[in-house]
Amino acid sequence: MNNLKDFLQLVWSAVRGREQDFTTLGIRTSIVLLAVPMILEMIMESLFAVVDIFFVGKLGPNALATVGLTETVLMVIYSVGMGVSIAATALVARRIGEKDYHEAGNVTYQLLITGAVLALLMGILATWFAADILTLMGADAALLETGLRYAQIIFAGNLVIIMLFLINGIFRGAGQPHLAMRALWLANGANIVLDPLLIFGIGSFEGLGLEGAAWATTLGRSIGVVYQFYHLLNGKHLLKVGRDNLVVSLAMIRRILAVSSGGMGQYLIDSASWIFLTRIIAEFGSSALAGYTIAFRLIVFALLPAWGLSSAAATLVGQNLGAQKVRRAELAVWLTARYNVIFMAAVTLLFLFFGEYLAAFFATDKAVIAVASEALQIITLGYVFFGLGMVMVQAFNGAGDTRTPSLINIVVLWLIEIPLAYLLAKTLGFGTTGIFLAIAFCHSFHALVSWWLFRRGTWKVVKV
């Protein structure tokens, strides 16, 4: 009982949040203090994804398909933001581990400039060519009429979304996951409230339909970004951005781009593989695409908390390498991996036995439900491996070794997964089932390759 009481007090301490020295604190205690806010942060992100698709689903299959196509393209845009976010966690964690807090502030300012410039460039181009992009992805005239404005609003508002995730990466690297959690809870809580109001209206306001979902996302996450900047600028934390940090350093930006290029590559390669898979699925009709969109949201709902847990490994690796405690960094990764595998095993059982019921909660069309439930039941067969692979990848990223996961992604996702999915789905005639089988197999293989490379230990000597 005392152990349970101590654990609950530790969890509460993690939620409340206070700055700790994760290079000296017990490893299990450190994992809990870092992982709990990260998991709660990702649960809220997962909840938003499910709630958003629930409301959009009431607008019909075309609206669902539009969101699916738009989000697939957004994955490419977010890849750049996530790459800079990975660099943020690695660089800030290393400086915090070295106890060089002023340099951590310098790095943070350069990260903000880099992320903002990249986000603006991508947002402008994507908004301008939104119709061409959706058409290229397989949208027909009906989908364009329904969803073009939605895509344009989402693309135009991509600055705040990238800033939200970038600054949260900075907070995690600094060992302040509670601030990242609160920012995302605030942003997505606002999204959830605004979604039904702006989509369906209230009182005399008739609502904006699918456009309302786009505005809810943009406005809600803007609130979260304001909260983040408040904590970066108020001077109350070890990590802070003051006037003496507000100097542009091209040398630092080049370092950031060097580290983040590997992170960008990871997510661009991963995103591009999902785009190819989505493009193949689109050839089987709107029902298949809508079912895949629902399944993908539910898969993300399960994976994001696991990603939050695995993110604890990135912070612990970065800070402990900065403090020259290599063995401690390695032990933290193995413990985190154990916890993540147990969690993903539980999720596997949930989706195997209740996948059809979960799919039916978001759609009424039998064809859509059939595709979604089959996707859940097949893809989740690889979930235990997913749990291991996430931690290994985050450990590489936390060390600043973003190149290794990128190379793994190229080989497994491009050279194996895409051809295998096409072969099974189109050539051998398995349809969408073949795509789901390819995903389950290749992501499991990805995890095993990552585990093998992590054991080789080259990440221990990376300099950032």
Side-chain angles (χ1 to χ4, degrees), residues 276-312:
F276 278 111
L277 295 178
T278 303
R279 187 67 182 84
I280 297 171
I281 287 174
E283 295 183 14
F284 293 96
S286 292
S287 293
L289 184 57
Y292 173 73
T293 301
I294 290 173
F296 184 74
R297 284 294 185 97
L298 288 169
I299 287 169
V300 169
F301 182 81
L303 290 182
L304 282 178
W307 194 254
L309 175 57
S310 63
S311 294

Side-chain angles (χ1 to χ4, degrees), residues 122 219 241 426:
M122 291 184 299
L219 293 173
V241 179
K426 303 286 288 185

Side-chain angles (χ1 to χ4, degrees), residues 112-247:
L112 295 175
I113 292 175
T114 305
V117 171
L118 292 173
L120 286 171
L121 289 174
M122 291 184 299
I124 291 169
L125 289 173
T127 303
W128 185 264
F129 294 105
D132 299 306
I133 292 171
L134 291 178
T135 301
L136 183 65
M137 286 298 300
D140 55 24
L143 282 181
L144 280 177
E145 184 179 353
T146 302
L148 177 58
R149 184 61 178 161
Y150 169 87
Q152 289 174 330
I153 295 169
I154 290 291
F155 292 152
N158 114 91
L159 172 63
V160 295
I161 298 176
I162 287 183
M163 280 290 107
L164 184 67
F165 290 108
L166 167 59
I167 300 174
N168 273 0
I170 292 170
F171 285 151
R172 293 187 200 104
Q176 299 172 330
H178 58 286
L179 296 180
M181 174 192 71
R182 292 171 188 170
L184 207 57
W185 274 66
L186 182 62
N188 287 349
N191 282 346
I192 291 171
V193 172
L194 290 172
D195 246 347
L197 297 179
L198 296 182
I199 293 174
F200 305 111
I202 185 172
S204 59
F205 174 60
E206 295 182 356
L208 301 174
L210 188 57
E211 290 181 28
W215 282 115
T217 295
T218 303
L219 293 173
R221 295 192 170 179
S222 296
I223 294 171
V225 172
V226 170
Y227 175 85
Q228 290 175 321
F229 272 101
Y230 167 76
H231 282 284
L232 283 178
L233 301 175
N234 65 14
K236 297 179 179 179
H237 308 285
L238 291 176
L239 174 65
K240 56 191 174 188
V241 179
R243 290 185 179 182
D244 54 342
N245 300 120
L246 305 183
V247 178

Side-chain angles (χ1 to χ4, degrees), residues 34 38 42 89 172 306-316 336 394:
L34 287 168
M38 293 176 182
M42 293 296 102
T89 299
R172 293 187 200 104
W307 194 254
L309 175 57
S310 63
S311 294
T315 300
L316 290 171
T336 306
Q394 286 289 61

Side-chain angles (χ1 to χ4, degrees), residues 199-431:
I199 293 174
F200 305 111
I202 185 172
S204 59
F205 174 60
E206 295 182 356
L208 301 174
L210 188 57
E211 290 181 28
W215 282 115
T217 295
T218 303
L219 293 173
R221 295 192 170 179
S222 296
I223 294 171
V225 172
V226 170
Y227 175 85
Q228 290 175 321
F229 272 101
Y230 167 76
H231 282 284
L232 283 178
L233 301 175
N234 65 14
K236 297 179 179 179
H237 308 285
L238 291 176
L239 174 65
K240 56 191 174 188
V241 179
R243 290 185 179 182
D244 54 342
N245 300 120
L246 305 183
V247 178
V248 177
S249 170
L250 295 180
M252 180 70 71
I253 290 174
R254 283 194 293 270
R255 287 174 59 196
I256 290 169
L257 291 175
V259 177
S260 61
S261 61
M264 293 178 194
Q266 288 175 46
Y267 286 92
L268 282 170
I269 294 162
D270 197 1
S271 300
S273 70
W274 280 107
I275 287 175
F276 278 111
L277 295 178
T278 303
R279 187 67 182 84
I280 297 171
I281 287 174
E283 295 183 14
F284 293 96
S286 292
S287 293
L289 184 57
Y292 173 73
T293 301
I294 290 173
F296 184 74
R297 284 294 185 97
L298 288 169
I299 287 169
V300 169
F301 182 81
L303 290 182
L304 282 178
W307 194 254
L309 175 57
S310 63
S311 294
T315 300
L316 290 171
V317 167
Q319 291 197 9
N320 281 290
L321 288 181
Q324 305 296 314
K325 297 183 178 181
V326 178
R327 177 58 179 166
R328 180 181 166 87
E330 188 171 13
L331 287 173
V333 173
W334 291 123
L335 274 174
T336 306
R338 179 190 300 175
Y339 301 149
N340 216 29
V341 165
I342 293 171
F343 171 76
M344 293 306 291
V347 174
T348 297
L349 295 176
L350 176 67
F351 279 178
L352 279 176
F353 290 107
F354 300 102
E356 184 175 354
Y357 301 101
L358 291 170
F361 184 73
F362 298 96
T364 56
D365 187 287
K366 291 184 178 180
V368 173
I369 294 172
V371 173
S373 61
E374 183 183 47
L376 291 174
Q377 291 167 348
I378 293 176
I379 293 174
T380 53
L381 293 176
Y383 260 24
V384 171
F385 294 100
F386 289 12
L388 172 67
M390 285 181 206
V391 177
M392 298 299 109
V393 168
Q394 286 289 61
F396 284 125
N397 289 334
D401 180 10
T402 55
R403 182 172 174 270
T404 296
S406 296
L407 293 175
I408 298 171
N409 281 359
I410 290 174
V411 174
V412 177
L413 303 184
W414 277 9
L415 301 184
I416 299 177
E417 183 179 57
I418 294 172
L420 180 61
Y422 188 88
L423 174 68
L424 293 175
K426 303 286 288 185
T427 306
L428 299 181
F430 284 97

